[in-house]
Amino acid sequence: MNLDFSIALKYLPTLANAAVYTVFLTVTSMFIGTTGGFFLALGRTSRFVWLSGLIWVYVWIFRGTPMLLHLFFIYYAAPLFGLTLDAIPAAIIAMSLSACAYTCEIIRSGLQAVHHGQVEAARAVGMTYPKVIRKIVLPQALRIIIPPYMSNFISHTKNSSLASVITVPEVMLTAQMIYSSTYRAIEILTAAGCIYLLLTSCLTGIQIWLERITSYETRGLSSRRRRQLGLEVI
Amino acid sequence: MSSAMIEVSDLEKTFGETRALDGVSLRVDQGEVVCVIGPSGSGKSTLLRCINFLEEPSHGNVRVNGRRIGFIEERGRVRRMSGRQLAAMRTEIGMVFQLFYLWPHMTALENVILGPASVKGLPIREAAAQGQQLMRKVGLVDKMAAFPEQLSGGQRQRVAIARALAMQPKVMLFDEPTSALDPELVGEVLQVMEQVASEGMTMMVATHEMGFARRVAHRVMFMDHGRLVEVGTPHEIFERPREERTKRFLNKILA
């Protein structure tokens, strides 16, 4: 077997260009998915049974069926409703719908991990619901959800390769196109693998950083905060 | 006659089949310290929680400083308060919980000043200066930058008291504030509460600390099975209780 990695090097710019699509798809759909998932999680933990039930059904469907199916579905079903979607918007919609379902559950786990007594103590000093969420629940929930959230982010990055089936020119589709014309599958797939590994390593790095900045007790108060509170600066 | 700070009339609270409160009416005057005693499950906590509407009464109503909590009465019609109105009303009612419920992601001082800063909109420096005063008052000047998990139970509860006082409430509710503490830490918390009482705060304290009730309370209320069985001065309740159930309870607890 002779391997020629200069081929991989030659096509690296093309793959890097495709990686931009991968990053764009993943980050955009995760952004939408996180925003949506946050509100879904609030609804899911609310006292309105109908709302909570409705969201449960949403999660049940979108977490229980493959994202590959969502991609095809959105891409092929949209024209039936008089909409013609390009591959990229279709991919973003399908990936966001899936991300919403997963992040809803992750954020819900964080919200529910904050003891109800904490919330009551906040309400007892006169905080309104949005303030309780912002000042008491979220800061604590955030820390709890970082590991599962980032794991999901990494899965989602890899799953973006599924968008290749609806012709989004992301890393996987581009790799396939290159090796079907060069017959250098191993070299090109190795390069594609390295790109994914690089992207997911960045996410791992972000996770480590997030975990560090949210470990408040070990870090203590910043000197700026100390000054603000009129405490001795150490 | 001094003015009523808390007025409870015909209060009932049911949880499913259980009747936690079964027709409670009472009145607490301004500046008065009332201790609520009674066996566990007698409804003491539920009563306090209904007073600041953490628990919604099933029947009856509660007035604090003349206003009905949770509802607005206008031209003979009653409607629910909005979340904002309820929150505003709660700023007048301080609450101290059995399990402290300090916010673990903030230092002691930050716990104390969050209310004034985020609810009342006080500038952070001003809130911090006031917060420091309160931390001094509860004897925790050296613990201001400590996180709750670095504090003992007694220290946590004193921070919780400072946090409630920081809102400058008109009433303080204490829900078994020393029941979760190691015996040797009870004294420091009671001492702070006694000081607060001596400054004229209206207080309602659910407690098993009979010594505190005897020493500090103006009146003692004995509850059992969701009802107020007997109300009187500490002397009346502890020295010559009239009701058989009160006698039995006191015999058991003071034996």
Side-chain angles (χ1 to χ4, degrees):
Chain A
M1 186 163 78
N2 70 18
L3 293 174
D4 179 8
F5 280 96
S6 66
I7 289 281
L9 223 52
K10 185 179 156 205
Y11 283 100
L12 202 58
T14 319
L15 285 172
N17 205 31
V20 174
Y21 283 94
T22 296
V23 171
F24 176 72
L25 281 186
T26 311
V27 172
T28 312
S29 60
M30 262 319 258
F31 178 77
I32 297 170
T34 306
T35 315
F38 171 66
F39 288 106
L40 289 183
L42 287 183
R44 185 80 173 77
T45 54
S46 76
R47 61 199 156 90
F48 306 110
V49 179
W50 59 270
L51 183 63
S52 174
L54 214 62
I55 295 166
W56 183 89
V57 171
Y58 174 87
V59 172
W60 175 61
I61 292 172
F62 281 89
R63 204 177 53 169
T65 50
M67 196 167 86
L68 187 60
L69 187 146
H70 310 158
L71 284 159
F72 280 132
F73 205 88
I74 300 282
Y75 194 48
Y76 294 121
L80 302 181
F81 299 95
L83 265 171
T84 342
L85 285 176
D86 282 338
I88 291 175
I92 286 177
I93 292 171
M95 288 175 69
S96 299
L97 288 171
S98 171
C100 268
Y102 280 95
T103 47
C104 164
E105 285 299 278
I106 291 169
I107 294 172
R108 179 171 75 92
S109 75
L111 297 180
Q112 289 182 335
V114 177
H115 194 284
H116 190 63
Q118 304 264 337
V119 174
E120 290 196 334
R123 285 167 60 199
V125 299
M127 284 190 214
T128 51
Y129 178 74
K131 227 168 240 169
V132 175
I133 293 293
R134 215 169 59 233
K135 302 275 182 185
I136 305 300
V137 178
L138 269 190
Q140 294 184 66
L142 210 61
R143 182 188 197 185
I144 297 163
I145 67 171
I146 288 169
Y149 179 85
M150 292 309 290
S151 290
N152 180 51
F153 204 142
I154 288 172
S155 293
H156 197 66
T157 306
K158 294 180 295 177
N159 286 342
S160 70
S161 61
L162 294 171
S164 61
V165 299
I166 57 165
T167 73
V168 177
E170 46 66 68
V171 173
M172 214 45 216
L173 181 64
T174 308
Q176 282 168 5
M177 289 195 308
I178 297 170
Y179 68 65
S180 49
S181 62
T182 59
Y183 303 103
R184 289 289 179 179
I186 293 172
E187 293 86 338
I188 296 298
L189 284 174
T190 305
C194 289
I195 287 177
Y196 279 112
L197 204 53
L198 181 73
L199 296 179
T200 53
S201 299
C202 289
L203 291 173
T204 306
I206 291 173
Q207 178 178 346
I208 292 168
W209 174 72
L210 285 174
E211 283 180 23
R212 190 173 311 149
I213 62 166
T214 51
S215 57
Y216 33 82
E217 321 88 322
T218 47
R219 276 177 356 125
L221 291 173
S222 68
S223 45
R224 189 174 151 268
R225 183 70 174 157
R226 280 180 164 274
R227 227 169 277 128
Q228 206 178 25
L229 295 174
L231 295 171
E232 245 173 90
V233 180
I234 29 173
Chain B
M1 197 160 104
S2 47
S3 59
M5 187 53 85
I6 301 174
E7 287 170 285
V8 173
S9 47
D10 205 18
L11 192 64
E12 286 175 21
K13 177 69 189 177
T14 48
F15 296 103
E17 295 287 289
T18 343
R19 263 178 188 281
L21 292 177
D22 193 4
V24 173
S25 298
L26 61 89
R27 169 194 164 115
V28 178
D29 285 333
Q30 193 174 357
E32 199 180 14
V33 177
V34 170
C35 283
V36 186
I37 61 170
S40 328
S42 58
K44 307 185 294 289
S45 282
T46 311
L47 172 62
L48 293 188
R49 291 167 59 80
C50 282
I51 290 174
N52 72 352
F53 214 71
L54 281 179
E55 219 68 78
E56 186 176 340
S58 310
H59 178 80
N61 66 64
V62 176
R63 287 173 182 281
V64 179
N65 202 16
R67 285 171 61 208
R68 183 167 172 192
I69 191 153
F71 298 91
I72 305 239
E73 293 166 331
E74 244 175 5
R75 280 176 268 123
R77 284 226 302 264
V78 179
R79 63 183 163 84
R80 265 177 172 283
M81 275 186 169
S82 70
R84 191 177 289 272
Q85 288 167 323
L86 182 58
M89 202 167 161
R90 283 198 181 116
T91 61
E92 298 187 345
I93 310 166
M95 177 108 176
V96 173
F97 299 86
Q98 180 177 358
L99 297 174
F100 334 124
Y101 297 136
L102 293 184
W103 302 307
H105 58 301
M106 297 176 202
T107 59
L109 181 60
E110 289 171 309
N111 265 273
V112 174
I113 70 173
L114 183 65
S118 94
V119 176
K120 288 190 169 169
L122 222 58
I124 199 95
R125 279 168 203 280
E126 213 171 298
Q130 281 185 16
Q132 293 206 14
Q133 289 287 333
L134 283 165
M135 289 295 280
R136 190 159 298 125
K137 181 174 181 165
V138 299
L140 291 170
V141 152
D142 53 334
K143 297 291 181 194
M144 294 198 285
F147 283 89
E149 67 173 32
Q150 298 161 335
L151 300 174
S152 72
Q155 290 170 333
R156 285 183 209 189
Q157 196 59 297
R158 285 186 282 155
V159 174
I161 294 172
R163 172 175 72 179
L165 289 174
M167 294 304 288
Q168 300 174 317
K170 297 202 163 71
V171 186
M172 286 280 282
L173 307 174
F174 294 84
D175 185 7
E176 300 201 27
T178 58
S179 299
L181 298 177
D182 289 338
E184 77 270 22
L185 302 176
V186 168
E188 60 189 63
V189 172
L190 294 181
Q191 202 186 332
V192 169
M193 288 168 58
E194 208 165 330
Q195 197 195 331
V196 175
S198 72
E199 291 165 2
M201 177 65 76
T202 310
M203 289 169 50
M204 242 181 128
V205 186
T207 188
H208 291 293
E209 293 297 326
M210 299 303 147
F212 177 83
R214 214 186 278 252
R215 209 167 53 241
V216 183
H218 298 116
R219 275 190 304 154
V220 174
M221 299 180 174
F222 171 67
M223 282 187 80
D224 197 16
H225 291 108
R227 290 180 189 212
L228 270 188
V229 176
E230 189 166 354
V231 179
T233 63
H235 184 77
E236 285 166 347
I237 297 288
F238 291 115
E239 311 306 332
R240 15 181 200 94
R242 284 186 311 256
E243 299 289 329
E244 200 48 46
R245 276 192 284 177
T246 318
K247 283 179 201 165
R248 246 183 291 140
F249 172 73
L250 289 172
N251 275 337
K252 215 182 285 171
I253 207 160
L254 298 172

